[in-house]
Amino acid sequence: MKLQRKNRLRATALGALAVSSALVLTACGSDNNSGTGGSGEKTSAASNVKCDDAKGQLLASGSSAQKNAMDLWAKNYMAGCKGVEVNYKSSSSGEGIIDFNQATVSFAGSDSALKPEEVADSKKVCKTGQGINLPMVGGPIAIGFHLEGVDSLTLDAPTLAKIFDSKIKKWNDPAIAKLNKGAKLPDKAIQAFHRSDDSGTTQNLSKYLAATAPSDWKYEPEKKWPAPGGQSASQSSGVAAQVKQVDGSIGYFELSYASSQSISTVDINTGGSTPVKATPENASKAIAAAKIKGTGKDLALDLDYTTKAEGAYPIVLVTYEVVCDKGNKAETLPTVKSFLNYTAGDEGQKLLTEAGYAPIPTEINAKVRETIASLS
């Protein structure tokens, strides 16, 4: 098979962060790249991927927060499933849901669970069912900053709220200085960057601020950035690129974008004994306390943004893969199930930690696997 070299991404554990409209990876290999399991299932000897009847092209789009995970998953999955092409268009949660409800993709990635009106719209696509949320990727929303001469920074929710609401405008503001005693904070203007596109990452950050600093953040948590002022950039990669380049800047994005570009991240003062760093392990401590609020096969989660548990990083998101519980297209259903089985499987979830994400807690993940198996 001819390799589509121009479209192939060299995904690493930290992920490629160049802005791209889509990830297109084509599975190519020799005849001995796959085998047959004892139950008759086609499996990959290289990575133990169960390909089953997967074939052709699988289209998906949405959350840019999970792009780095999707890069890794698609590369490994297609190395094991010859003849399958996975195309994930990294855009935003909002665009992913629109694509899903317009039937242009088989599943969508979203950092926020479907709203009731979006579920209603999905019933037109899922002819005999509806769209459901499958939690697949967890992780911290890192608050990245670029301030020459300052490598370490601690902030709390009220201070963050005032920064992103353009109420605190200088880095040497007394509120910031109080949280960073001994730090040489410059008399420099803060340049706060936010997402220009409808984003589940934005909504999760807003949920955190609204829950923990309600007197300072009075906006309803929505995917569209609500506060005045600041500067905008498209997708997580765009915000990270601006923070990387601009001295005096601050922004928010999934941790792997910070890790891959060596962007410093803020430690969060939650009221516990010590500030909490943005790490996959610390995010996992917060996500592990999540409760399933969805009904039926829907596995939407209720996250506790106000946690003060030791070592629990509170600004977290969970990216859902949005699929039809029933009424999936017959020609793509085997591929959807095979690919999602891989991402929710032990190997797929292990890759998350290596890439700076947090795996979905075991009990919740077990229900995700059961639900994938029941898709029809």
Side-chain angles (χ1 to χ4, degrees):
M1 182 182 296
K2 183 179 179 181
L3 290 175
Q4 298 177 324
R5 299 183 186 276
K6 292 183 180 180
N7 291 330
R8 192 176 181 92
L9 297 179
R10 298 176 62 189
T12 65
L14 291 176
L17 291 176
V19 178
S20 62
S21 61
L23 164 68
V24 182
L25 294 170
T26 304
C28 299
S30 62
D31 290 340
N32 63 3
N33 193 40
S34 61
T36 303
S39 61
E41 299 162 318
K42 291 168 60 182
T43 63
S44 161
S47 58
N48 201 35
V49 178
K50 292 184 178 181
C51 305
D52 297 323
D53 296 319
K55 61 183 179 181
Q57 187 180 59
L58 178 62
L59 300 178
S61 70
S63 166
S64 63
Q66 73 167 359
K67 175 188 180 297
N68 298 329
M70 196 61 71
D71 285 358
L72 284 170
W73 283 336
K75 177 184 177 182
N76 288 3
Y77 174 80
M78 288 186 294
C81 295
K82 188 170 67 172
V84 180
E85 180 184 294
V86 175
N87 184 322
Y88 181 78
K89 179 183 177 183
S90 171
S91 51
S92 68
S93 297
E95 291 181 52
I97 297 303
I98 290 172
D99 289 344
F100 179 76
N101 281 339
Q102 291 181 345
T104 60
V105 295
S106 295
F107 72 88
S110 177
D111 306 325
S112 295
L114 291 167
K115 295 180 179 179
E117 59 269 27
E118 292 170 338
V119 173
D121 288 342
S122 74
K123 294 179 180 179
K124 302 171 186 176
V125 177
C126 310
K127 301 297 185 182
T128 57
Q130 66 179 44
I132 57 172
N133 304 283
L134 301 179
M136 198 68 69
V137 182
I141 299 174
I143 308 298
F145 71 96
H146 178 176
L147 192 58
E148 295 296 335
V150 178
D151 298 322
S152 178
L153 189 68
T154 295
L155 296 174
D156 58 13
T159 307
L160 272 175
K162 291 172 186 173
I163 288 172
F164 282 114
D165 198 21
S166 301
K167 299 291 176 58
I168 291 179
K169 300 181 179 182
K170 290 289 189 75
W171 279 109
N172 62 349
D173 187 277
I176 301 177
K178 184 178 179 180
L179 292 164
N180 297 273
K181 294 179 180 179
K184 295 181 179 179
L185 299 170
D187 182 17
K188 182 184 289 290
I190 296 174
Q191 298 192 57
F193 285 90
H194 59 264
R195 291 280 290 272
S196 60
D197 46 336
D198 286 0
S199 162
T201 310
T202 293
Q203 188 172 37
N204 279 278
L205 173 64
S206 192
K207 285 180 179 179
Y208 163 75
L209 295 175
T212 54
S215 62
D216 299 300
W217 190 260
K218 300 181 181 297
Y219 304 102
E220 288 295 322
E222 298 291 347
K223 293 177 182 177
K224 185 177 182 63
W225 181 255
Q231 302 180 61
S232 64
S234 177
Q235 304 183 27
S236 293
S237 57
V239 175
Q242 291 298 318
V243 173
K244 176 71 173 178
Q245 296 169 10
V246 179
D247 184 21
S249 62
I250 189 169
Y252 59 94
F253 30 81
E254 195 279 325
L255 180 61
S256 68
Y257 289 89
S259 301
S260 65
Q261 298 192 57
S262 300
I263 297 172
S264 299
T265 60
V266 171
D267 297 343
I268 301 299
N269 183 336
T270 63
S273 61
T274 57
V276 185
K277 295 185 178 298
T279 68
E281 295 78 14
N282 291 345
S284 290
K285 294 176 182 177
I287 295 173
K291 306 295 182 183
I292 294 176
K293 64 179 180 181
T295 58
K297 294 183 179 180
D298 183 74
L299 299 177
L301 301 179
D302 187 11
L303 298 170
D304 181 10
Y305 299 98
T306 64
T307 180
K308 294 182 180 181
E310 288 301 312
Y313 184 83
I315 317 176
V316 295
L317 61 74
V318 169
T319 298
Y320 301 95
E321 310 310 341
V322 176
V323 296
C324 293
D325 58 353
K326 299 178 182 178
N328 288 276
K329 294 180 180 179
E331 60 269 27
T332 57
L333 178 60
T335 310
V336 170
K337 293 177 72 171
S338 172
F339 180 66
L340 294 183
N341 269 324
Y342 170 70
T343 64
D346 292 338
E347 182 176 328
Q349 289 292 296
K350 181 182 178 182
L351 283 176
L352 292 180
T353 300
E354 297 172 0
Y357 295 90
I360 299 302
T362 302
E363 290 185 9
I364 297 172
N365 185 250
K367 295 181 179 180
V368 171
R369 297 189 204 190
E370 291 175 8
T371 303
I372 293 170
S374 72
L375 299 180
S376 62

